[in-house]
């Protein structure tokens, strides 16, 4: 019979891998790119509310028409609409063993709604990954992305409005999650590969 060197009660026991994650940062910080990479490595779905809205806009659904009217101005889609959409997404099978939420929650109301959803599912967040970037650099990145991709909310005026809305409505969420000890800050100004590596390390040392 062998005795395992670590068990659940030993101080060296590894914490279970973090699989219920958020990635947060201003528009243009690289959340989408990094979320796709980290989610693939962990075999969890990356759930981007912006992508779900854009898919609905392309599909010309009722939700898409509503969302577009806010997105094109750089404003947030109303919480009630966004919360319902995330609730049904988190109830899907592939999200039962973890998820990486990208772009949600973005308001304090959404934080509360997410807490409620996770409590109902008997789970809780493991970690909040914060990409720290320079605001001016971000504007330049997004202007370039808009020129390449034709994303209709990547015009300089809308980008500046999105940054204001982020500072006003989303930055305060960091304090809430900091108080819970969940936030890990990563320099988002490095290369894509370096940022991914820093995110892996942040998750490993959580
Ligand atoms: P993103 O792709 O995350 O930059 O989101 C693009 C746009 O979709 C935002 O500027 C908002 O108009 C809308 N959006 C995405 N996520 C949310 C959210 N959690 N709450 C409200 N609006 C959102």
């Amino acid at each position: 019979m062998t005795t395992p060197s670590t068990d659940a009660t030993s101080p060296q026991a590894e914490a279970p891998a973090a699989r219920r994650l958020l990635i947060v940062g201003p528009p243009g910080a690289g959340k989408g790119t990094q979320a796709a990479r980290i989610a693939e490595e962990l075999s969890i779905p990356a759930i981007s509310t912006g992508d779900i809205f854009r898919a609905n806009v392309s599909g010309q659904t009722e939700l898409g028409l509503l969302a577009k009217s806010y997105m094109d101005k750089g404003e947030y889609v109303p919480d009630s609409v966004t919360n319902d959409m995330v609730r049904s997404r988190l109830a899907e099978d592939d999200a039962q063993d973890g998820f990486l939420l990208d772009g949600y929650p973005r308001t304090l109301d959404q934080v509360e709604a997410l807490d409620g959803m996770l409590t109902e599912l008997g789970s809780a967040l493991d970690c909040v990954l914060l990409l720290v970037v320079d605001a001016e650099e971000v504007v330049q990145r997004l202007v370039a992305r808009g020129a390449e991709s034709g994303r209709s909310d990547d015009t300089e005026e809308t980008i500046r409005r999105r940054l204001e809305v982020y500072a006003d409505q989303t930055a305060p969420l960091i304090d809430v999650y900091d108080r819970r000890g969940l936030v890990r800050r990563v320099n988002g100004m490095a290369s894509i590969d370096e940022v991914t590596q820093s995110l892996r390390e942040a998750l490993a040392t959580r």
Side-chain angles (χ1 to χ4, degrees):
M1 211 197 308
T2 54
T3 312
S5 57
T6 57
D7 61 39
T9 56
S10 99
Q12 296 91 38
E14 278 187 29
R19 299 181 68 77
R20 292 180 171 79
L21 314 172
L22 305 185
I23 189 160
V24 186
K31 298 187 297 292
T33 303
Q34 298 297 337
R37 290 176 155 214
I38 296 292
E40 183 173 4
E41 287 183 17
L42 296 175
S43 303
I44 54 177
I47 302 177
S48 155
T49 42
D51 282 351
I52 303 176
F53 285 134
R54 278 184 289 279
N56 277 276
V57 171
S58 304
Q60 297 182 322
T61 66
E62 204 176 312
L63 173 64
L65 287 176
L66 175 87
K68 188 170 165 44
S69 63
Y70 293 93
M71 292 167 83
D72 281 349
K73 287 184 285 193
E75 305 291 337
Y76 287 168
V77 178
D79 286 332
S80 56
V81 175
T82 310
N83 289 334
D84 285 350
M85 185 175 88
V86 173
R87 184 175 289 105
S88 41
R89 181 63 188 88
L90 284 180
E92 287 179 31
D93 284 350
D94 66 341
Q96 300 318 300
D97 185 35
F99 50 78
L100 173 49
L101 280 167
D102 158 14
Y104 180 94
R106 259 174 153 108
T107 65
L108 291 169
D109 179 276
Q110 292 180 13
V111 169
E112 232 176 83
L114 178 62
D115 284 344
M117 291 173 214
L118 294 179
T119 303
E120 273 171 37
L121 293 166
S123 74
L125 287 178
D126 297 322
C127 187
V128 175
L129 297 162
L130 173 61
L131 291 177
V132 180
V133 292
D134 173 75
E136 244 343 279
E137 166 88 24
V138 146
V139 173
Q140 299 317 318
R141 276 191 197 179
L142 288 175
V143 170
R145 181 172 79 183
E148 272 169 32
S149 71
R151 224 179 100 162
S152 61
D153 59 346
D154 279 346
T155 60
E156 184 153 351
E157 192 193 344
T158 312
I159 292 161
R160 296 214 180 267
R161 179 64 194 142
R162 282 157 62 206
L163 284 167
E164 271 173 19
V165 173
Y166 176 84
D168 195 39
Q169 299 203 45
T170 303
L173 273 56
I174 313 296
D175 289 342
V176 173
Y177 288 126
D178 253 334
R179 283 197 288 276
R180 298 184 194 176
L182 289 175
V183 181
R184 297 293 176 272
R185 287 172 170 74
V186 163
N187 172 22
M189 302 305 292
S191 72
I192 293 178
D193 285 344
E194 283 167 331
V195 176
T196 307
Q197 183 54 24
S198 305
L199 290 168
R200 286 187 196 112
E201 286 164 13
L203 285 171
T205 56
R206 162 200 70 101

